[in-house]
Amino acid sequence: MTGIRLQAPAPGWSIDADVVVVGSGVAGLTAALRCTAAGLRTVVVTKARLDDGSTRWAQGGIAAALGEGDTPEQHLDDTLVAGAGLCDEEAVRLLVTEGPDAVRRLIETGARFDTDEAGTIELTREGGHHRRRIAHAGGDATGAEISRALVDAVRDQGVRAIENALVLDLLTDADGRTAGVTLHVMGEGQHDGVGAVHAPAVVLATGGMGQVFSATTNPAVSTGDGVALALRAGAEVSDLEFVQFHPTVLFLGPDAEGQQPLVSEAVRGEGAYLVDADGVRFMVGQHELAELAPRDIVAKGIMRRMREQGARHMYLDARHFGAEMWASRFPTILAACRAHGIDPVTQPIPVAPAAHYASGGVRTDLHGRTTVPGLYACGEVACTGVHGANRLASNSLLEGLVFAERLADDIAASTARAGAPAPHPAPTVLPLLDPDARSRVQHVMTHGAGVLRSAASLAEAADALDAVYAEALNDGPDGNKAAEPGVESWETTNLLCVARVLVAAARRREETRGCHWREDRPDRDDTAWRRHLVVRLGPDRSLDVRPTDTQDFPPTDADAPREP
């Protein structure tokens, strides 16, 4: 344990549970439903409403070997290729073999995927897949449908939920085992202000950290809270340098900030082309799959062409789809484009890469256990080893399903019980950043640690983040005082925490691999760097960044034999 905590009032209320799930996307709600079915008293804590996480924004679909002629082995091969040598093959094999049945259970829960006239699930292709294996719903509203089904099931099962609640820190007992979380509930209701949920098992399913960059496809709630909490709790995180930038995000101008409209990879899967201003298909010849190459390759291809031509964006041309196909297959994207003055039926869509998905996160084993006993993680906040250096398209929803089920089963089988939460003997209160520092952190990250990185850009980013950090410690040139506790200052402080880890890892990895692109180190170096970077936060707030010995993860502390 680091003994580091966010500055916050003492909890004014508490409730007891067997397990608390933090987050309400596909991973969190799947874990909550399965824990509830096992008879565990389960509490879901979510930052906004139950259906407000990243899952509902997922357009493309969920990947699984459901189609005729497709096999888990083929899905495994595509995943390993996309992961650029850093996937944990055992984790991927679990994903692809358990995935089809997990999708079927999702359908039994109430999710309705698009089917043909015979009732067979319609499948499409996305980047990196050699077969049609992406199940979708509502054309391009898959995440919204999955979220709807799971939220309905959670409400039908009477799972207790605390909405509009920002998780703060992990509680532990005298032996250092998980004993619950502290949280702040925003607004009036049954609970208000800072409180606690006491539980021997905590599941982090808080989603991503895309808001650490100026432009992202992530919703406003994706501020890296789970990774920051885990670091303060002493857990290890891994592979945070591998941030996937989605290649085709609707370009709204050079100064656009916050959540940007995504143009799903499924649009390319159905035959759209990437072209420059002259209509030239620049991905042809760069990869055997052209526009359907893995996302890191497509993002790099777009960025190269932009640099060559001095352009701010490229174009996605799907005019040949026709009005009927656009309206039936991609109604969400069609509406988003038209809302911004672009009609894809008659115009090519201006697109540019934007921060999309964190392939790294809180390090877990194959049962979702972190290096802190009783603390679990699943979904985007976790690093299971499935994604390696670059996530294969539409594997994220599947990973959330499969590993949420696995960790729920592990929690149900555990006989461990935490003692009462114990105060740390000398807790270090982390000074809070002024909310105004949020945009400063985002601009530093976008310019220094975005799609294109170098030793110089990363060094500048590290120095700039250190300056922000020093000001929070009241050591800055202006002698700024730390901000008052509150949602915006807590979020901004979490963003700075994950930004510092990301930059530290990106500086350490002196190669180009997957979605980590070092301009000064353009080649992949398997001899030196086919290994993971594991980061821990020290009690003195320093970062310990160390490579693993091989491409395999070392065991987590939780890998020890279970109690009888």
Side-chain angles (χ1 to χ4, degrees), residues 16 59 102 186 198 201 218 263 269 283 412 447 461 466 500:
D16 295 324
Q59 295 174 345
M186 300 165 264
H198 298 155
N218 291 189
V263 182
M283 285 304 300
H447 293 291
D466 285 346
R500 293 181 69 226

Side-chain angles (χ1 to χ4, degrees), residues 227-244:
V227 171
L229 176 150
L231 283 163
R232 291 192 297 272
E236 292 182 351
V237 304
S238 185
D239 299 354
L240 232 60
E241 68 271 32
F242 297 119
V243 175
Q244 188 176 80

Side-chain angles (χ1 to χ4, degrees), residues 104-426:
R104 294 183 184 103
R105 284 189 288 274
L106 180 61
I107 293 171
E108 291 172 0
T109 301
R112 297 185 292 265
F113 290 96
D114 295 340
T115 58
D116 60 22
E117 294 179 356
T120 303
I121 295 176
E122 292 182 335
L123 302 173
T124 189
R125 278 183 69 194
E126 291 186 3
H129 294 273
H130 283 79
R131 283 192 175 272
R132 286 183 170 265
R133 65 167 67 97
I134 315 299
H136 50 84
D140 59 357
T142 309
E145 170 57 19
I146 290 174
S147 180
R148 179 207 61 78
L150 291 173
V151 169
D152 286 352
V154 161
R155 288 173 174 155
D156 288 345
Q157 294 298 316
V159 180
R160 187 169 187 174
I162 302 176
E163 297 181 293
N164 302 307
L166 172 65
V167 67
L168 298 175
D169 279 305
L170 191 73
L171 294 170
T172 54
D173 64 15
D175 297 322
R177 182 180 176 83
T178 294
V181 292
T182 55
L183 64 157
H184 174 80
V185 180
M186 300 165 264
E188 297 179 0
Q190 185 177 0
H191 304 293
D192 193 15
V194 175
V197 180
H198 298 155
V202 170
V203 178
L204 295 178
T206 52
M209 55 184 191
Q211 291 290 329
V212 78
F213 295 95
S214 297
T216 177
T217 63
N218 291 189
V221 295
S222 298
T223 51
D225 307 314
V227 171
L229 176 150
L231 283 163
R232 291 192 297 272
E236 292 182 351
V237 304
S238 185
D239 299 354
L240 232 60
E241 68 271 32
F242 297 119
V243 175
Q244 188 176 80
F245 288 79
H246 199 289
T248 53
V249 176
L250 184 61
F251 181 75
L252 300 181
D255 299 322
E257 296 184 350
Q259 186 178 9
Q260 311 291 301
L262 176 66
V263 182
S264 170
E265 202 151 304
V267 177
R268 280 174 281 140
E270 295 292 352
Y273 308 131
L274 280 167
V275 298
D276 60 20
D278 297 322
V280 177
R281 286 182 64 190
F282 55 88
M283 285 304 300
V284 174
Q286 292 199 37
H287 190 275
E288 60 166 335
L289 296 175
E291 283 90 356
L292 284 176
R295 287 178 176 174
D296 64 310
I297 294 173
V298 179
K300 291 170 187 174
I302 291 174
M303 293 299 296
R304 286 194 188 101
R305 197 66 156 193
M306 286 166 56
R307 285 197 302 178
E308 290 169 4
Q309 299 186 342
R312 293 187 179 275
H313 62 82
M314 290 288 109
Y315 292 94
L316 187 64
D317 193 348
R319 291 174 289 180
H320 53 285
F321 284 5
E324 183 177 346
M325 180 175 174
W326 265 112
S328 62
R329 180 66 179 87
F330 300 111
T332 307
I333 299 170
L334 178 63
C337 288
R338 285 178 170 170
H340 292 283
I342 302 295
D343 187 350
V345 177
T346 60
Q347 299 171 273
I349 306 167
V351 293
H356 182 58
Y357 189 88
S359 293
V362 185
R363 189 166 77 83
T364 74
D365 65 8
L366 300 180
H367 299 280
R369 295 176 288 198
T370 74
T371 52
V372 174
L375 179 64
Y376 294 77
C378 58
E380 190 173 354
V381 71
C383 184
T384 63
V386 159
H387 303 309
N390 180 52
R391 174 179 66 96
L392 181 65
S394 288
N395 267 358
S396 50
L397 291 174
L398 190 70
E399 183 199 31
L401 276 181
V402 169
F403 285 88
E405 291 185 344
R406 293 182 65 82
L407 71 79
D409 292 346
D410 190 78
I411 292 170
S414 175
T415 59
R417 288 292 176 265
H424 192 275

